[in-house]
């Protein structure tokens, strides 16, 4: 009964203090594609993405009912950094969905034209002036939003003098941007100014993490198949808690409870140990990550992020030094990455699995129709067309051979002048499940085998590699089939041996693949990337840095005459792949279980156009 009454009370109090128009709410996910295109069109940074903003603490002057409800302490405010533009996951500021949608578009326009904020009050006014003067259509939109926002802002009659001056200054700056330069100080924050972007949250300095000797945070076998992804990006810091005996604990012994002071109460509620971790993460401002493992056994598991030498693939040479693109400096940094070629030399030869034979047979029949290409042969004794060049050459000779009449053009089927390098993403995320009994790595493994069967039918020269990484010092580049090597049971054995690796340093793998393709004599060369997510690694490669480096590697491949193409099972691929591969340079497979059937069709489309 107490819980039932509490829920009724909570709903009633929440309705009394809410300032949102929940019935007119508009969600970011519904407009993300349009807003991204709008952001690019207004000159926004091409490498940035739109992401939901996390709530942050604010110091608003709250009413008594708001204090009782515990509301208006955290608000999702719009802001941006070098990586992305952070917008509220939903907007219900205005009573009309049209106005809330218009507010989303206005905030995106502000993000496209607003430089890094140094002075929140001045910089936002300057950005408004630039937008309204450059785009007259936005002037009408801005005035409408200002009028609606001013009607919703709380009255300033009964608030402290310092906050009243601040609110009046904000109101004047909204109506006449550029008129005021300074914002009066106050013990409280002004009410949210939804037409402006807020500064980036303070950067938290963390304890440096060693670049060697530490690996993925979880073992591959211990990761849950039902793991949830938190949409907001949280701030985090690492603490150095390796010295467990450091520090001095000061307390009064008399304050400790005695045995008789502990009373067992029969509480009428479920003490379930399974916490709602998603809700907890949403409520935390700062997530602190410890470098200390609780158990010795767990520490051994975490520290051994690379397999033992006797269980690992054969290292082919000392490694290859590769450059990496630093987008802030606008240049390639030489010898940043160490790529290690690997070969599963002890992989047992295997035949084609039984569950793939029917699909492979269908693919081989389709590939047999395109395995040969038409080649135009000149100077033939017979053919479909007349070869005027051959006839003129023969006729212009002082002595002509009348018995030799090779004056025709003919079309014949010959092998195609085409080669392809298939690059498979073998990162840790491929251990995720696409069905109850099938992982992403299983789908990739089957797809590589089926596609290789078709390529063997066409006799197109092809190679298969896989990659994963642990920071820039260890980029694993696994050889499954090299150019010129016949497709055999041994190659199938190497493909069958692949398993989830570590992280996705995509730029280094693409650069090495481009170097290999550059040495091939064929006129048409394709780099086919099979992936399940965006570039990432443990270091700064996470975020825009990895996106920009991958894009630069793709540009370098195109400059070498290579055609890069990406096939992904990532549902969010449309958000970043157009920037990396272009509008027609990628395909998103919505059902990962169909990848073995879809990948050969995609290859045929790429190789015949």
């Amino acid at each position: 009964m107490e819980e039932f009454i509490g829920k009724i009370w909570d709903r009633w109090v929440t309705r009394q203090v809410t300032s949102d128009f929940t019935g007119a709410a508009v969600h970011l996910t519904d407009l993300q594609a349009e807003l991204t295109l709008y952001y690019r069109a207004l000159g926004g940074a091409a490498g940035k993405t739109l992401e939901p903003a996390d709530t942050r603490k604010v110091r608003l002057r709250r009413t008594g009912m708001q204090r009782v409800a515990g509301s208006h302490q955290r608000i999702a405010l719009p802001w941006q950094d070098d990586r992305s533009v952070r917008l509220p996951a939903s907007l219900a500021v205005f009573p009309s969905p049209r106005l809330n949608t218009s507010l989303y578009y206005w905030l995106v326009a502000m993000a496209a034209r607003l430089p890094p904020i140094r002075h929140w009050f001045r910089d936002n006014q300057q950005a408004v002036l630039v937008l309204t003067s450059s785009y007259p259509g936005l002037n009408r939109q801005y005035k409408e939003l200002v009028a609606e926002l001013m009607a919703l802002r709380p009255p300033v009659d009964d608030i402290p003098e310092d906050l009243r001056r601040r609110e009046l200054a904000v109101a004047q700056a909204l109506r006449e941007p550029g008129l005021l330069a300074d914002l009066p100080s106050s013990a409280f924050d002004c009410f949210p100014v939804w037409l402006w972007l807020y500064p980036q949250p303070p950067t938290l300095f963390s304890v440096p993490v060693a670049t060697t000797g530490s690996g993925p945070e979880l073992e591959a076998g211990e990761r849950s198949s039902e793991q949830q992804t938190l949409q907001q990006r949280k701030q985090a810091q690492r603490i150095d808690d390796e010295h467990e005996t450091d520090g001095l604990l000061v307390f009064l012994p008399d304050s400790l409870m005695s045995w008789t002071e502990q009373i067992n109460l029969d509480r009428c509620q479920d003490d379930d140990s399974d916490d709602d971790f998603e809700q907890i993460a949403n409520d935390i401002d700062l997530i602190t990550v410890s470098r200390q493992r609780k158990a010795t056994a767990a520490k051994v598991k975490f520290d051994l992020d690379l397999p033992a030498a006797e269980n690992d693939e054969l290292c082919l040479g000392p490694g290859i030094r590769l450059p990496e693109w630093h987008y802030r400096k606008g240049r390639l940094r030489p010898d940043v990455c160490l790529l290690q070629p690997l070969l599963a030399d002890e992989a047992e030869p295997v035949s084609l699995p039984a569950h793939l034979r029917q699909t492979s047979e269908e693919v081989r029949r389709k590939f047999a129709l395109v395995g040969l290409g038409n080649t135009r042969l000149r100077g033939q004794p017979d053919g479909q067309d007349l070869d005027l060049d051959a006839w003129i050459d023969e006729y212009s000779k002082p002595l002509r051979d009348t018995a030799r009449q090779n004056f025709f053009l003919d079309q014949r089927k010959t092998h195609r002048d085409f080669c392809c390098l298939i690059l498979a993403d073998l990162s840790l995320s491929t251990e995720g499940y696409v069905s109850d009994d099938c992982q992403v790595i299983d789908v990739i493994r089957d797809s590589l085998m089926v596609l290789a069967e078709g390529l063997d039918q066409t006799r197109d020269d092809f190679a298969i590699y896989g990659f994963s990484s642990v920071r820039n010092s260890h980029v694993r580049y696994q050889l499954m089939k090299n150019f010129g090597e016949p497709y055999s049971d041994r190659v199938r054995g190497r493909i069958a041996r692949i398993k989830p690796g570590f992280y996705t340093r995509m730029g280094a793998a693409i650069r090495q693949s481009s170097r290999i393709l550059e040495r091939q004599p064929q006129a048409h060369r394709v780099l086919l990337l099979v992936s399940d997510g965006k570039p990432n690694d443990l270091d700064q490669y996470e975020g825009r840095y990895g996106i920009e480096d991958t894009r630069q590697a793709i540009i370098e491949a195109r400059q070498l005459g290579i055609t890069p193409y990406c096939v992904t099972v990532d549902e969010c691929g449309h958000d970043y792949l157009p920037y990396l591969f272009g509008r027609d340079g990628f395909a998103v497979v919505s059902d990962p279980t169909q990848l073995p059937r879809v990948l050969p069709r995609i290859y045929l489309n790429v190789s015949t156009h």
Side-chain angles (χ1 to χ4, degrees):
M1 178 61 71
E2 292 178 359
E3 183 178 358
F4 176 72
I5 298 298
K7 289 182 178 179
I8 295 178
W9 167 258
D10 180 69
R11 287 196 296 266
W12 182 83
V13 171
T14 302
R15 285 196 299 266
Q16 299 302 313
V17 301
T18 184
S19 56
D20 292 337
F21 298 92
T22 55
V26 178
H27 300 280
L28 178 61
T29 53
D30 298 333
L31 299 171
Q32 189 146 6
E34 295 88 343
L35 292 175
T36 301
L37 181 62
Y38 187 66
Y39 177 74
R40 303 280 190 269
L42 289 178
K48 287 189 179 182
T49 58
L50 303 184
E51 297 182 2
D54 188 21
T55 58
R56 65 168 75 177
K57 288 185 177 180
V58 292
R59 298 176 302 165
L60 298 181
R61 186 175 184 273
R62 299 185 294 162
T63 63
M65 187 62 73
Q66 289 172 349
R67 292 192 184 96
V68 171
S71 64
H72 292 74
Q73 298 184 80
R74 303 174 58 86
I75 300 177
L77 298 173
W79 59 281
Q80 67 174 335
D81 57 8
D82 291 338
R83 173 197 173 100
S84 59
V85 179
R86 315 292 175 88
L87 301 175
S90 63
L91 282 178
V93 178
F94 300 113
S96 166
R98 181 187 66 83
L99 290 174
N100 290 320
T101 302
S102 179
L103 179 56
Y104 262 130
Y105 277 92
W106 173 258
L107 291 174
V108 167
M110 287 284 289
R113 286 307 181 99
L114 186 64
I117 294 179
R118 299 182 182 275
H119 192 286
W120 175 70
F121 191 66
R122 299 175 195 164
D123 293 345
N124 275 284
Q125 293 183 74
Q126 185 62 34
V128 171
L129 290 175
V130 171
L131 281 174
T132 53
S133 60
S134 302
Y135 305 98
L138 291 179
N139 193 14
R140 183 176 63 256
Q141 177 184 359
Y142 175 73
K143 290 182 178 179
E144 181 184 18
L145 291 174
V146 168
E148 295 290 339
L149 183 63
M150 296 307 301
L152 296 174
R153 292 183 72 81
V156 297
D157 298 334
D158 299 328
I159 60 177
E161 181 63 27
D162 57 344
L163 184 56
R164 182 187 299 117
R165 290 197 301 267
R166 171 170 282 208
E167 284 293 326
L168 292 176
V170 169
Q172 188 172 4
L174 286 171
R175 294 191 181 97
E176 302 176 84
L179 187 62
L180 299 178
D182 296 319
L183 181 66
S185 60
S186 173
F188 297 98
D189 293 331
C190 56
F191 298 106
V193 185
W194 290 108
L195 300 183
W196 291 354
L197 294 184
Y198 280 74
Q200 179 180 346
T203 302
L204 296 169
F205 296 94
S206 59
V207 175
V209 182
T211 58
T212 59
S214 59
E217 297 295 336
L218 288 176
E219 281 288 319
E222 297 177 357
R223 297 175 70 91
S224 170
S225 61
E226 299 180 356
Q227 184 177 8
Q228 295 178 337
T229 301
L230 190 65
Q231 294 298 323
Q232 294 90 0
R233 183 167 298 275
K234 290 288 186 178
Q235 290 182 295
Q237 68 176 359
R238 291 186 182 269
I239 60 170
D240 189 1
D241 58 348
E242 294 181 350
H243 306 290
E244 297 179 351
T245 59
D246 288 355
L248 177 64
L249 180 63
V250 179
F251 62 93
L252 294 176
D254 294 338
S255 65
L256 296 177
M257 290 189 298
S258 66
W259 180 265
T260 58
E261 290 174 320
Q262 298 190 18
I263 303 174
N264 295 325
L265 298 178
D266 184 12
R267 296 179 297 172
C268 299
Q269 65 182 39
D270 183 16
D271 291 336
D272 190 359
S273 59
D274 296 332
D275 297 323
D276 186 355
F277 295 106
E278 183 179 5
Q279 182 63 36
I280 294 173
N282 277 322
D283 292 339
I284 294 177
D285 288 325
L286 170 64
I287 298 179
T288 301
V289 181
S290 172
R291 294 174 60 187
Q292 184 78 0
R293 310 297 190 235
K294 291 185 177 180
T296 303
K299 182 174 182 179
V300 173
K301 291 180 181 178
F302 283 112
D303 286 348
L304 294 178
D305 58 352
L306 298 179
E310 61 270 17
N311 298 326
D312 200 5
E313 284 80 8
L314 175 66
C315 294
L316 304 178
I320 302 171
R321 289 288 179 181
L322 294 173
E324 197 165 80
W325 178 259
H326 197 295
Y327 77 96
R328 288 193 182 95
K329 298 180 180 179
R331 63 178 179 85
L332 279 173
R333 296 189 299 161
D335 300 337
V336 172
C337 296
L338 179 62
L339 181 138
Q340 179 61 64
L342 300 169
L343 175 66
D345 59 326
E346 297 182 355
E348 295 293 334
V350 298
S351 59
L352 185 68
H355 69 281
L356 296 178
R357 290 174 184 171
Q358 181 179 355
T359 305
S360 298
E361 186 60 32
E362 297 174 359
V363 170
R364 290 179 71 90
R365 287 197 297 267
K366 291 180 180 179
F367 275 53
L369 301 176
V370 296
L372 299 177
N374 289 325
T375 301
R376 198 176 191 185
L377 302 178
R378 298 180 177 275
Q380 301 298 310
D382 56 67
Q384 301 173 353
D385 298 319
L386 182 64
D387 188 351
L388 291 179
D389 292 336
W391 182 85
I392 293 174
D393 290 342
E394 184 64 24
Y395 187 80
S396 60
K397 292 180 180 179
L399 298 176
R400 295 191 295 274
D401 185 3
T402 57
R404 186 172 177 272
Q405 303 290 325
N406 299 333
F407 304 143
F408 296 94
L409 297 173
D410 195 10
Q411 300 283 345
R412 294 184 185 177
K413 294 285 187 179
T414 59
H415 295 297
R416 302 192 303 169
D417 193 13
F418 190 89
C419 69
C420 177
L421 189 148
I422 306 164
L423 183 61
D425 176 6
L426 306 180
S427 60
L428 195 62
S429 58
T430 58
E431 70 174 0
Y433 281 84
V434 297
S435 64
D436 293 339
D437 56 352
C438 181
Q439 293 177 295
V440 176
I441 191 66
D442 300 327
V443 174
I444 293 178
R445 186 185 299 113
D446 293 347
S447 302
L448 295 179
M449 283 195 178
V450 171
L451 179 57
E453 293 292 326
L455 292 174
D456 186 52
Q457 177 68 36
T458 64
R459 296 187 181 180
D460 286 346
D461 201 5
F462 69 99
I464 304 177
Y465 289 84
F467 75 97
S468 66
S469 64
V470 183
R471 299 189 178 90
N472 62 328
S473 58
H474 190 81
V475 181
R476 299 168 62 86
Y477 195 69
Q478 296 179 229
L479 168 63
M480 286 170 268
K481 181 190 177 302
N482 207 350
F483 284 111
E485 180 183 4
Y487 181 63
S488 61
D489 288 346
R490 184 166 294 278
V491 174
R492 294 190 189 96
R494 295 173 192 159
I495 297 175
R497 186 185 170 100
I498 63 174
K499 57 186 178 180
F502 304 102
Y503 299 94
T504 317
R505 209 172 198 94
M506 200 173 287
I510 291 176
R511 287 188 176 91
Q512 179 61 17
S513 301
S514 300
R515 290 185 177 184
I516 296 173
L517 278 169
E518 184 185 11
R519 295 194 292 267
Q520 303 310 308
Q522 287 82 1
H524 305 284
R525 296 164 291 177
V526 170
L527 172 58
L528 183 62
L529 174 65
V530 183
S531 177
D532 72 327
K534 63 172 60 175
N536 71 89
D537 210 330
L538 286 172
D539 52 13
Q540 63 179 347
Y541 210 79
E542 173 72 22
R544 188 178 176 188
Y545 185 97
I547 292 289
E548 295 289 351
D549 176 63
T550 302
R551 182 173 184 268
Q552 182 63 26
I554 294 168
I555 293 174
E556 295 168 10
R558 288 198 174 100
Q559 292 173 348
L560 297 175
I562 299 169
T563 302
Y565 195 91
C566 178
V567 180
T568 184
V569 295
D570 184 12
E571 296 178 352
C572 300
H574 292 286
D575 296 339
Y576 59 91
L577 288 178
Y579 179 64
L580 295 180
F581 290 88
R583 185 182 61 182
D584 301 322
F586 70 96
V588 178
V589 181
S590 57
D591 185 2
T593 59
Q594 295 299 312
L595 186 61
R597 295 181 178 273
V598 174
L599 186 60
R601 294 204 298 265
I602 294 175
Y603 174 83
L604 290 178
N605 291 334
V606 174
S607 62
T608 55
H609 289 83

